[in-house]
């Protein structure tokens, strides 16, 4: 064993540089070429590597010290034979040089709060075919040490999109981790991902190239028979881009269930008969809106939105409903549905649905929903898998009710059964919660008195 001095190697044109980060401490076992500290001039930052492997005995520099070529950095205990190696043989890693795109062959070191497997997943989530680290850097060098740059590069994090929390806006390891988490939770999208969604959306989803998929087949349909080409409506183009983003970005799952609405339907028909002259027709959807409000109150995460690592719980109950219009799908919103009765909801729904069909909905009438229902009950079908209307976290799909034989313990009874399809965001909601939501919703629709309990 021998003690050797590790000194600052040749650092090029820099006369004196400040020590801004110490990366090792006494007692650490280090590898040859491992970074010991970060120094910074007014032009660039660089990491000073160790020329030898060994155990750090004593640090000879402190934060803020000015050092230059030959300055003593630390005393290192090394194996005797290692002491013979030239202590100046390792070059420092300069931030600008480190910025060049290199394949991410080095596995990231485990860091607090993120396991290596998570980091690998994060790298996959962040790495997009459209992301070119060189392009990022060409836009200007963000303030970060070479080790942070390397860490970001390994994860595919575009550093110029990361907000630095360190001194003078310096980007730290922690900032890179936070950015990665935000991307993974969907709270933040990299500019490259936004561009992909935009271009895929603009192409009506007909271009999978931006997502690394094989190209959409280009077929000359006229070769096979007569055709007519019609442009998509403006609404279809806008909703298409939104639907595509939501379908791709949300880990969505759909639970299907049936609920017994025999008594509720009898009540609805009787109510409409009694109020024939009012001009307001009550449909099943109005009851569904009220029942959903009760279920949202019982399971508030269904009435929330993701915001980074946090959930925003809404204390209002604005329920959107999908309306089929000649120009495409629109989603008007019944505001404060918890404070309205079935008649008022039915009346507002009728007015909003008419406005939607006439293309007269105002932006205020289409925004602010905290949960959405898509009812195909008037048309038909059994179940479907509705797409969540982001940033909401769940949507209820409803199909046409039919008379089914239901076993009551002694015999089959003809009951009117309503098929429900609840799609939910698995980042926020678990399968068990979704099943409970559907069961509770079914219980309310089965007997509305439960709302009072
Ligand atoms: N089961 C059986 N019958 C149902 C039903 C159900 N679940 N829901 C509605 N009906 C019946 C109604 O009672 C009504 O019957 P009558 O004419 O005999 O009274 C008939 O179907 C038509 O109802 P409606 O569709 O006019 O009224 P609504 O309140 O159910 O729906 C609206 C209103 C605007 C949501 C609907 O017209 C609509 O646009 N639905 C399509 C939504 C859509 O496109 N979703 C898909 C989105 S994903 O692309």
């Amino acid at each position: 064993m021998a003690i050797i001095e590790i000194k600052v190697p040749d650092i090029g044109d820099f006369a004196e540089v400040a020590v801004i980060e110490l990366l090792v401490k006494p007692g650490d076992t280090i590898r040859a070429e491992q970074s010991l500290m970060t120094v910074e001039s007014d032009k660039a930052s660089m990491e000073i590597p160790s020329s030898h492997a060994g155990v750090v005995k004593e640090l000879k520099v402190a934060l803020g010290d000015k050092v230059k070529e030959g300055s003593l950095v630390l005393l290192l205990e090394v194996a005797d034979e290692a002491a013979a190696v030239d202590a100046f043989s390792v070059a420092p890693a300069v931030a600008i040089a480190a910025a060049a795109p290199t394949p991410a062959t080095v596995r990231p070191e485990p860091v607090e709060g993120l396991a290596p497997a998570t980091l690998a997943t994060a790298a996959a989530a962040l790495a997009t075919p459209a992301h070119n680290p060189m392009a990022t850097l060409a836009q200007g060098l963000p303030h970060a040490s070479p080790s942070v740059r390397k860490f970001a590069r390994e994860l595919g994090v575009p550093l110029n999109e990361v907000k630095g929390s360190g001194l003078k806006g310096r980007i730290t390891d922690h900032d890179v981790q936070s950015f990665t988490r935000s991307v993974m939770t969907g709270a933040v999208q990299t500019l490259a991902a936004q561009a992909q969604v935009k271009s895929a959306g603009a192409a009506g989803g007909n271009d999978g190239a931006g997502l690394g998929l094989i190209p959409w087949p280009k077929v000359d349909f006229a070769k096979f028979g007569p055709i007519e080409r019609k442009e998509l409506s403006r609404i279809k183009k806008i909703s298409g881009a939104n639907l595509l983003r939501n379908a791709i970005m949300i880990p969505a799952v759909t639970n299907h269930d049936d609920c017994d609405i025999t008594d509720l339907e009898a009540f609805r028909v009787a109510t409409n008969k009694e109020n024939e002259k009012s001009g307001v027709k009550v449909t099943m959807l109005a009851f569904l809106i009220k029942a959903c409000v009760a279920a949202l109150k019982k399971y508030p995460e269904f009435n929330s939105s993701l915001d980074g690592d946090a959930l925003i719980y809404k204390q209002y109950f604005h329920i959107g409903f999908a309306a089929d219009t000649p120009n495409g799908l629109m989603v008007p919103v019944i505001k404060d549905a918890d404070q309205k009765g079935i008649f008022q909801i039915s009346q507002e729904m009728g007015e909003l649905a008419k406005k939607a069909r006439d293309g007269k909905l105002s932006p205020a009438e289409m925004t602010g929903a905290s949960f959405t229902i898509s009812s195909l009950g008037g048309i038909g079908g059994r179940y479907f898998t509705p797409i969540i209307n982001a940033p909401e976290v769940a949507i209820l799909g409803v199909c046409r009710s039919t008379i089914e034989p239901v076993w009551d313990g002694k015999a089959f009874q003809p009951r009117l059964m309503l098929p429900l399809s609840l799609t939910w965001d698995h980042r926020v909601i678990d399968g068990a919660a979704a099943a409970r939501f559907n069961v509770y919703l079914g219980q309310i629709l089965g007997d509305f008195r439960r709302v009072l309990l």
Side-chain angles (χ1 to χ4, degrees):
M1 288 292 178
I3 303 283
I4 61 163
E5 294 183 336
I6 302 292
K7 295 180 178 171
V8 175
D10 178 3
I11 49 173
D13 294 341
F14 304 108
E16 265 201 331
V17 287
V19 177
I20 58 161
E21 216 177 359
L22 288 168
L23 304 169
V24 294
K25 56 183 185 321
D28 283 359
T29 301
I30 59 170
R31 293 172 275 108
E33 295 193 34
Q34 181 172 336
S35 294
L36 303 175
M37 63 181 182
T38 308
V39 294
E40 187 183 57
S41 74
D42 53 350
K43 293 197 189 73
S45 59
M46 66 195 97
E47 284 180 10
I48 303 298
S50 177
S51 50
H52 291 71
V55 177
V56 178
K57 281 287 152 197
E58 197 183 338
L59 277 178
K60 292 291 188 184
V61 288
L63 281 181
D65 282 358
K66 297 268 183 182
V67 295
K68 57 184 188 213
E69 184 180 349
S71 296
L72 183 57
V73 178
L74 53 81
L75 298 179
L76 192 72
E77 187 177 65
V78 295
D80 282 338
E81 63 275 18
V85 182
D86 174 12
F88 283 78
S89 60
V90 181
V94 183
I96 296 164
T102 53
T105 48
V106 184
R107 191 165 175 80
E109 301 280 336
V111 275
E112 195 196 339
L114 280 180
T118 317
L119 286 171
T121 319
L126 284 156
T128 59
H131 176 57
N132 172 357
M134 210 50 183
T136 300
L137 287 152
Q139 291 158 18
L141 273 173
H143 213 35
S145 71
S147 63
V148 171
R149 285 176 190 289
K150 182 166 166 270
F151 182 48
R153 219 172 37 248
E154 284 163 1
L155 290 177
V157 167
L159 260 192
N160 63 338
E161 293 174 39
V162 179
K163 201 161 178 288
S165 64
L167 203 65
K168 294 187 208 158
R170 170 173 288 279
I171 298 167
T172 63
D173 264 7
H174 183 73
D175 297 329
V176 174
Q177 286 173 43
S178 300
F179 183 87
T180 308
R181 276 201 200 94
S182 305
V183 169
M184 290 186 78
T185 57
V188 165
Q189 254 190 311
T190 61
L191 295 175
Q194 285 173 26
Q196 277 178 9
V197 169
K198 212 167 150 195
S199 72
N206 276 0
D207 181 5
L211 300 171
L213 306 174
I214 57 168
W216 192 260
K218 281 207 180 336
V219 179
D220 178 9
F221 300 105
K223 275 202 314 204
F224 304 108
I227 57 164
E228 182 193 8
R229 186 186 164 89
K230 272 190 185 167
E231 280 305 306
L232 288 175
S233 69
R234 201 178 60 87
I235 291 173
K236 275 235 159 82
K237 282 184 196 162
I238 295 170
S239 62
N242 278 288
L243 289 165
L244 180 67
R245 179 202 55 206
N246 300 347
I248 290 172
M249 289 189 61
I250 302 173
V253 184
T254 306
N255 281 33
H256 303 289
D257 208 344
D258 294 320
C259 66
D260 187 333
I261 57 163
T262 315
D263 298 339
L264 184 59
E265 175 64 3
F267 176 68
R268 186 188 76 84
V269 171
T271 305
N272 278 337
K273 217 171 207 163
E274 278 167 28
N275 294 281
E276 236 163 0
K277 288 192 188 120
S278 71
V280 178
K281 194 176 102 183
V282 173
T283 65
M284 191 48 70
L285 190 49
F287 287 103
L288 277 160
I289 288 176
K290 270 317 250 192
C292 281
V293 168
L296 293 173
K297 282 185 177 171
K298 192 169 167 79
Y299 301 103
E301 69 267 33
F302 287 78
N303 203 42
S304 73
S305 284
L306 265 173
D307 182 23
D309 285 345
L311 269 189
I312 309 290
Y313 287 89
K314 290 151 211 168
Q315 277 143 26
Y316 52 85
F317 299 89
H318 300 340
I319 311 296
F321 64 97
D324 182 32
T325 81
N327 286 322
L329 177 68
M330 310 220 60
V331 186
V333 181
I334 303 278
K335 300 269 163 60
D336 298 312
D338 56 319
Q339 295 161 35
K340 293 174 181 166
I342 295 287
F343 282 119
Q344 191 179 350
I345 289 176
S346 298
Q347 183 170 357
E348 278 186 30
M349 226 164 49
E351 289 163 7
L352 287 169
K354 182 172 184 321
K355 275 190 179 180
R357 283 191 290 271
D358 297 346
K360 289 188 178 149
L361 280 176
S362 70
E365 288 166 326
M366 292 187 282
T367 47
S370 53
F371 182 83
T372 294
I373 303 177
S374 177
S375 171
L376 294 172
I379 303 166
R382 196 92 179 109
Y383 304 101
F384 68 118
T385 53
I387 294 174
I388 294 169
N389 201 9
E392 293 157 43
V393 294
I395 182 169
L396 180 73
V398 182
C399 283
R400 194 167 188 81
S401 54
T402 49
I403 298 282
E404 306 273 334
V406 177
W407 185 252
D408 70 358
K410 290 187 191 125
F412 282 106
Q413 301 294 343
R415 305 295 294 178
L416 187 63
M417 304 301 288
L418 181 70
L420 304 175
S421 302
L422 179 74
T423 302
W424 39 280
D425 185 335
H426 212 332
R427 294 171 299 178
V428 177
I429 294 159
D430 291 329
R436 284 190 196 106
F437 185 97
N438 263 355
V439 166
Y440 183 63
L441 193 63
Q443 286 172 344
I444 292 172
L445 292 166
D447 188 344
F448 241 84
R449 289 173 300 181
R450 285 178 185 275
V451 171
L452 303 170
L453 297 176

